[in-house]
Amino acid sequence: MTESAAAARRPNRSGPPIDVDIYSGSATPELAQAVASCLGRPLGRRELHRFADGECHVQIQESVRGRDIYIVQSTCYPVNEHLMELLVMIDAFRRASAARVTAIIPYYGYARQEKKTTGREPITAKLVANLLSTAGADRVVSVDLHSPAIQGFFDIGMDHLTAIPLLGEYLRQHMDLSDAVVVTPDTGRVKVADVYANMLNIPLVVMHKRRGGNHAQDVEVRAIVGEVANKRPIIVDDIISTGGTIVTCTQALLEAGAKPDITVVATHAVLTPPAEERLCMPEITRVVTTDTIPLGNKTLGGKVVVISVASLLAETIERLHEGRSISALFRDWRESYPV
Ligand code: R5P
């Protein structure tokens, strides 16, 4: 189920369309189309194709000289393909003399490697920031970065949006919150979870997880701080990748006496195998996410709700084009629910 634009922050624009050009890569074409529709603009014409060895090639099929360009492309699976495609597109617009090129990256891949945890590791979130500016992006926009500090990895303009107001509003309107608690699976996300708890006016529960030897898969819950017995948990996270975190937390919550009616909320549904299988467990009754990553035919047994960020991105583009504040988009919400 995809929530209509009514669930997003703004209605479709009235009045003449703003004079911007919006292009889509191959990662998030439906979202790009929805953003363009919100702004009353057609998607820009471009041709993308791959050479036999996998190199990508882009041709923009109209003049963009002097234009304000927005490329909508999440760097989701296959991450390397989509990232390279975005870089190639930025290069093409730069060389075609666009006045300004903004990369709208609803899901910023490689963000989970944003610091060294042991020696001799890369910091890929910074590497990608460098690549985007080297390719010629003037500005980058993203939604719910894995770590807000990534914004500081850019020496070009970077606007960090959040889908939490949209997701929180959905929960507030569609759930019985009388015996609900917000659960963070990770002590690193307490602040974000506290914003949800504050929005929904329900208690916060903090879990402490630890990754095992196999970094990507093994998750172990070490402690639960807060009352979960006879409560209906709402687990909040930024990303669901393999589903290991969610399923391990779910099991720990059930063992601690939580009701078998668990809601999962995460901005980015990466959903790499075996996430679909894991999230099908009957105790998880609802998964609420956004369209920063296309779900394709992943319905999770009919329990997924997708809230569109299209209107939020459209409003952001309009404000950027007109030189208006982006933080003002969230001012009322931040004042009501300070972190
Ligand atoms: C980790 O710090 C993130 O916030 C998510 O909890 C994590 O990426 C989810 O991964 P998985 O679904 O594979 O456990």
Side-chain angles (χ1 to χ4, degrees):
M1 168 169 73
T2 301
E3 288 293 298
S4 69
R9 289 187 73 82
R10 70 193 280 281
N12 282 6
R13 182 186 165 86
S14 56
I18 53 168
D19 196 19
V20 297
D21 292 334
I22 299 158
Y23 287 82
S24 172
S26 63
T28 31
E30 285 175 14
L31 178 58
Q33 180 60 69
V35 170
S37 300
C38 284
L39 292 167
R41 302 285 304 171
L43 274 181
R45 289 186 297 119
R46 52 68 178 152
E47 223 172 64
L48 287 172
H49 95 278
R50 290 197 183 276
F51 292 109
D53 63 355
E55 278 184 20
C56 68
H57 173 260
V58 178
Q59 205 220 348
I60 303 153
Q61 295 181 305
E62 54 214 354
S63 171
V64 292
R65 187 171 295 277
R67 302 289 301 163
D68 191 12
I69 302 294
Y70 296 83
I71 308 169
V72 181
Q73 170 92 324
S74 280
T75 47
C76 53
Y77 178 84
V79 179
N80 297 341
E81 305 289 327
H82 287 147
L83 173 61
M84 193 63 204
E85 187 181 279
L86 175 60
L87 297 171
V88 168
M89 286 182 81
I90 293 169
D91 186 72
F93 284 109
R94 258 295 59 98
R95 291 175 195 282
S97 305
R100 183 169 73 162
V101 181
T102 301
I104 307 274
I105 311 177
Y107 168 69
Y108 186 93
Y110 277 115
R112 282 175 286 176
Q113 299 176 64
E114 91 287 17
K115 58 180 180 298
K116 289 188 177 194
T117 49
T118 63
R120 301 176 296 283
E121 286 186 321
I123 300 182
T124 56
K126 170 64 177 157
L127 172 64
V128 171
N130 289 347
L131 291 171
L132 289 163
S133 42
T134 301
D138 294 292
R139 175 167 288 275
V140 170
V141 174
S142 192
V143 182
D144 288 334
L145 289 164
H146 177 62
S147 163
I150 294 171
Q151 189 173 27
F153 293 0
F154 289 85
D155 290 328
I156 54 175
M158 203 296 165
D159 295 295
H160 182 197
L161 312 178
T162 177
I164 295 174
L166 298 174
L167 293 166
E169 196 52 39
Y170 176 85
L171 299 175
R172 196 153 57 179
Q173 285 181 16
H174 294 86
M175 281 188 66
D176 169 11
L177 297 167
S178 52
D179 53 359
V181 287
V182 167
V183 179
T184 172
D186 190 338
T187 47
R189 282 201 179 271
V190 172
K191 281 187 175 178
V192 170
D194 195 37
V195 172
Y196 276 104
N198 207 349
M199 266 187 98
L200 304 177
N201 199 21
I202 57 177
L204 171 66
V205 171
V206 179
M207 301 182 90
H208 174 46
K209 82 174 181 193
R210 181 176 286 176
R211 293 258 177 206
N214 177 355
H215 177 75
Q217 305 269 337
D218 303 341
V219 182
E220 187 192 343
V221 172
R222 307 285 290 184
I224 301 178
V225 182
E227 190 53 60
V228 296
N230 294 315
K231 302 287 186 191
R232 286 184 306 129
I234 302 173
I235 305 176
V236 299
D237 210 342
D238 60 330
I239 294 170
I240 309 170
S241 182
T242 63
T245 301
I246 297 301
V247 117
T248 308
C249 289
T250 296
Q251 278 154 355
L253 289 166
L254 293 170
E255 277 163 28
K259 290 186 177 170
D261 179 6
I262 294 176
T263 297
V264 177
V265 184
T267 305
H268 309 293
V270 173
L271 299 185
T272 50
E276 267 193 276
E277 205 179 296
R278 284 174 164 164
L279 293 171
C280 277
M281 63 190 288
E283 293 86 353
I284 297 176
T285 49
R286 195 183 284 105
V287 178
V288 185
T289 187
T290 74
D291 54 357
T292 58
I293 299 175
L295 282 189
N297 56 8
K298 299 182 190 112
T299 62
L300 307 182
K303 59 189 172 190
V304 69
V305 175
V306 180
I307 311 286
S308 181
V309 294
S311 293
L312 173 63
L313 297 178
E315 172 86 32
T316 301
I317 290 172
E318 190 175 309
R319 284 170 178 267
L320 288 174
H321 180 69
E322 293 172 348
R324 291 190 290 129
S325 166
I326 302 299
S327 63
L329 262 175
F330 302 103
R331 188 172 299 139
D332 291 349
W333 175 73
R334 283 198 204 283
E335 278 171 9
S336 305
Y337 309 109
V339 178

